[in-house]
């Protein structure tokens, strides 16, 4: 783990942005700090693309000056007193140091401008509550009020105080992410606090739970996060039926194969696969996902699971596989494939994903009209029959298709 000269370890565009912030703020004697995740990641030698700067003064004013001088793209969030700058694919968020007071559990905090110490006290974990000053005589000085360095070196995720999860229960979900991403362990008393605060997840809005869940699913080791969160009772608070099991473990392992497209929607469908229709409806409502694409995909997966028997036999026709699956999104089919226990069902689902769904006829609707077929449902039915014949290998060329089209149309 590294500390000395942390600032210089920033990638060049971020270093330039940071040093500009340091110089401009320094003119008016305002202190600026690298803070939070960036300090953690620099110490661990992990790659960084985003940084947070905490300003003991007007962060928005400073961001405006930086944008003007550097030609960086600027987005200001006046209501929060924060601003984001983008340059060369890197992102810098600036915020005025603030003090947050939670009046009662689960409520949004009262926010007031504060100093660095206030700003660090409101944070989630010791490893995320360190700051490095970037200007003035304190340049390069680390502020570590809660033992973040020690916890980083011991690989521990630890809350700052006993009421942390009560103040904001989404921190339980954040803890899962850091633990698995960094290969850390949640410190023992933090685990105890987490377990005794699970009910506080009921105070969190659907949107916030959804955002945290999507962040889990975006992580490289999301299956480990889901398993751990299930063991600790967190997923059970999202919905009592949402639990990790052996079938899920196997399905996630299959989803990790190199030929499977890595995507959040697939992981979502895999994770909710054990729920029945009513349970899924309840979960989607709780996460404010009703009517979303994830709603559509997870319901399709559920429906498809009940139709898979139709295509489970080894000798089933390719056209039958196609007609059973083509109305489902490939994510739903991939979900079924990851869960398929019967080897011939798995092969058929994979065949559809790899090959059958891409098969097209050479003749289209216009070609049939030119051959003399009249517009109407019959035309559609002839196209379907041509495709089925193609899929089953009964015809192979455009001229085969034309002959068959003539016959089917009685021309
Ligand atoms: P990541 O690599 O996941 O982006 P990060 O540590 O930069 O990690 P952010 O979610 O961007 O995380 O938050 C920035 C910082 O804000 C965190 O490091 C943490 O100090 C603080 N923070 C974010 N969310 C909370 C929260 N719910 N409670 C307390 N502090 C938080």
């Amino acid at each position: 783990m590294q500390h000395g000269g942390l600032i210089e370890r920033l990638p060049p565009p971020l270093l330039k942005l940071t040093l500009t912030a340091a110089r401009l703020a320094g003119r008016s004697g305002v202190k600026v700090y690298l803070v939070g995740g960036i300090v953690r990641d620099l110490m661990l030698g992990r790659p960084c693309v985003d940084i947070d700067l905490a300003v003991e003064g007007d962060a928005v004013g400073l961001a405006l000056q930086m944008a003007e001088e550097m030609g960086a793209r600027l987005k200001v969030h006046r209501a929060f007193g924060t601003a984001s700058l983008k340059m060369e694919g890197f992102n810098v968020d600036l915020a005025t140091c603030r003090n947050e007071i939670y009046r009662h559990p689960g409520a949004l905090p009262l926010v007031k401008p504060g100093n660095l110490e206030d700003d660090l006290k409101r944070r989630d974990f010791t490893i995320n509550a360190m700051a490095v000053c970037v200007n003035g005589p304190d340049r390069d000085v680390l502020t570590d009020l809660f033992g973040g360095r020690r916890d980083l070196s011991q690989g521990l995720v630890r809350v700052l105080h006993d009421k942390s999860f009560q103040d904001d229960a989404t921190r339980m979900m954040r803890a899962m992410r850091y633990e698995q991403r960094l290969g850390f362990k949640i410190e023992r008393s933090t685990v105890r606090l987490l377990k005794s605060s699970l009910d506080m997840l009921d105070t969190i809005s659907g949107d916030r739970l959804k955002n945290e869940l999507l962040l889990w699913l975006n992580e490289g080791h999301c299956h480990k996060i889901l398993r751990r969160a299930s063991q600790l009772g967190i997923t059970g608070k999202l919905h009592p039926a949402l639990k990790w099991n052996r079938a899920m473990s196997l399905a996630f392992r299959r989803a990790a194969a190199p030929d499977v497209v890595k995507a959040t929607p697939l992981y979502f469908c895999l994770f909710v696969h054990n729920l029945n229709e009513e349970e899924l409806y309840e979960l989607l409502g709780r996460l404010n996902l009703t009517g979303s694409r994830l709603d559509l995909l997870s319901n399709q997966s559920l429906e498809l699971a009940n139709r898979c028997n139709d295509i489970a036999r080894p000798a089933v026709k390719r056209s039958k596989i196609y007609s059973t699956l083509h109305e489902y999104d490939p994510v739903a089919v991939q979900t079924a494939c990851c869960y398929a226990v019967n080897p011939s069902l798995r092969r058929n689902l994979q065949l559809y994903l790899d090959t059958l769904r891409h098969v097209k006829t050479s003749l289209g609707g216009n070609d049939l009209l030119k051959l003399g077929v009249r517009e109407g449902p019959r035309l559609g039915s002839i196209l379907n029959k041509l495709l089925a014949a193609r899929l089953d290998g009964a015809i192979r060329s455009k001229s085969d298709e034309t002959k068959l089209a003539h016959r089917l149309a009685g021309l």
Side-chain angles (χ1 to χ4, degrees):
M1 202 181 53
Q2 304 153 338
H3 167 217
L6 277 185
I7 303 170
E8 271 66 35
R9 284 194 207 119
L10 288 168
L14 285 178
L15 180 62
K16 198 165 148 200
L17 280 156
T18 303
L19 294 180
T20 306
R23 179 169 45 76
L24 293 172
R27 279 188 201 155
S28 38
V30 168
K31 281 194 181 175
V32 177
Y33 302 86
L34 284 173
V35 70
I38 183 67
V39 178
R40 174 199 72 214
D41 287 342
L42 284 173
M43 283 186 167
L44 291 174
R46 290 174 64 87
C48 19
V49 282
D50 295 339
I51 62 174
D52 287 309
L53 292 177
V55 183
E56 278 184 332
D58 176 15
V60 172
L62 176 60
L64 286 167
Q65 287 181 58
M66 288 171 68
E68 195 176 303
E69 179 170 319
M70 306 183 73
R73 273 197 296 146
L74 172 71
K75 208 166 163 190
V76 173
H77 316 277
R78 286 225 178 263
F80 300 103
T82 62
S84 306
L85 288 167
K86 259 201 185 357
M87 221 175 91
E88 298 172 32
F90 291 90
N91 198 40
V92 179
D93 288 334
L94 291 97
T96 301
C97 287
R98 63 183 199 253
N99 192 348
E100 285 182 355
I101 299 162
Y102 289 84
R103 280 172 301 171
H104 53 87
L108 285 177
L110 272 178
V111 179
K112 291 192 299 184
N115 57 22
L116 179 71
E117 192 175 325
D118 297 324
D119 203 79
L120 295 179
K121 273 195 215 154
R122 70 177 175 86
R123 290 178 184 263
D124 47 4
F125 307 111
T126 60
I127 56 170
N128 287 344
M130 292 182 279
V132 175
C133 185
V134 300
N135 60 1
D138 290 340
R139 185 181 152 137
D140 258 330
V141 171
L142 174 76
T143 304
D144 175 15
L145 306 175
F146 304 97
R149 260 186 103 184
R150 174 205 58 210
D151 287 341
L152 261 193
S153 68
Q154 295 181 4
L156 292 175
V157 178
R158 183 198 305 267
V159 284
L160 306 194
H161 57 86
D162 287 2
K163 293 253 175 317
S164 184
F165 293 132
Q166 312 244 326
D167 285 347
D168 180 355
T170 63
R171 291 172 185 163
M172 302 184 212
M173 297 179 75
R174 293 175 61 82
M176 302 295 102
R177 237 179 340 120
Y178 293 118
E179 183 183 47
Q180 300 309 324
R181 185 200 295 170
L182 304 174
F184 280 22
K185 273 271 152 251
I186 302 178
E187 175 270 336
R188 212 187 298 161
S189 69
T190 300
V191 171
R192 191 173 37 75
L193 291 167
L194 186 153
K195 285 183 174 165
S196 64
S197 311
L198 285 171
D199 284 347
M200 296 310 299
L201 282 164
D202 297 342
T203 66
I204 303 297
S205 72
D207 280 332
R208 290 188 73 205
L209 293 180
K210 169 181 65 193
N211 291 340
E212 292 298 333
L213 177 62
L214 295 181
L215 288 171
W216 281 357
L217 301 179
N218 257 327
E219 293 276 327
H221 299 294
C222 79
H223 64 287
K224 290 188 183 169
I225 297 181
L226 297 169
R227 188 175 54 208
R228 176 80 159 134
S230 173
Q231 281 164 355
L232 288 171
I234 295 179
T235 62
K237 289 303 291 180
L238 305 184
H239 191 287
L242 203 52
K243 296 216 172 87
W244 187 262
N245 61 25
R246 285 188 60 193
M248 205 177 268
S249 186
L250 180 61
F252 270 87
R253 217 173 312 142
R254 285 176 174 162
D259 57 329
V260 178
V261 178
K262 311 281 167 281
T264 303
L266 173 64
Y267 300 141
F268 183 83
C269 292
L270 291 175
F271 190 48
V272 302
H273 192 259
N274 292 332
L275 305 189
N276 64 32
E277 203 176 329
E278 192 184 338
E279 291 163 345
L280 181 57
Y281 177 81
E282 289 163 355
L283 175 74
L284 292 165
R286 175 67 181 110
L287 298 179
N288 208 10
L289 278 168
T290 309
S292 67
R293 180 167 150 76
L294 292 179
D295 178 342
L296 176 92
L297 294 175
S298 51
N299 270 296
Q300 279 197 4
S301 304
L302 189 73
E303 190 187 306
L304 179 55
N306 296 323
R307 288 196 59 193
C308 276
N309 266 344
D310 298 355
I311 52 163
R313 283 179 301 110
V316 67
K317 278 185 160 184
R318 289 172 161 225
S319 55
K320 172 71 178 166
I321 300 175
Y322 183 92
S323 65
T324 307
L325 299 177
H326 87 279
E327 65 208 56
Y328 294 98
D329 190 286
V331 171
V333 180
Q334 185 68 71
T335 303
C337 191
C338 291
Y339 270 102
V341 178
N342 175 333
S344 58
L345 171 61
R346 256 192 95 207
R347 262 196 312 276
N348 290 341
L349 291 162
Q350 197 62 55
L351 178 68
Y352 174 80
L353 287 168
D354 294 344
T355 312
L356 304 186
R357 72 185 166 117
H358 304 298
V359 172
K360 300 268 179 296
T361 50
S362 305
L363 298 180
N366 281 335
D367 299 310
L368 292 192
L369 289 172
K370 277 186 210 151
L371 290 178
V373 181
R374 287 221 214 100
E375 221 164 323
R378 198 163 147 64
L379 188 142
S381 134
I382 293 175
L383 280 174
N384 285 342
K385 285 181 178 151
L386 291 181
L387 180 61
R390 268 271 181 192
L391 287 161
D392 292 335
I395 53 172
R396 298 186 190 282
S397 64
K398 190 170 176 178
S399 79
D400 287 349
E401 273 186 28
T402 310
K403 278 186 221 149
L404 181 59
H406 270 121
R407 223 179 50 232
L408 291 168
L411 296 169

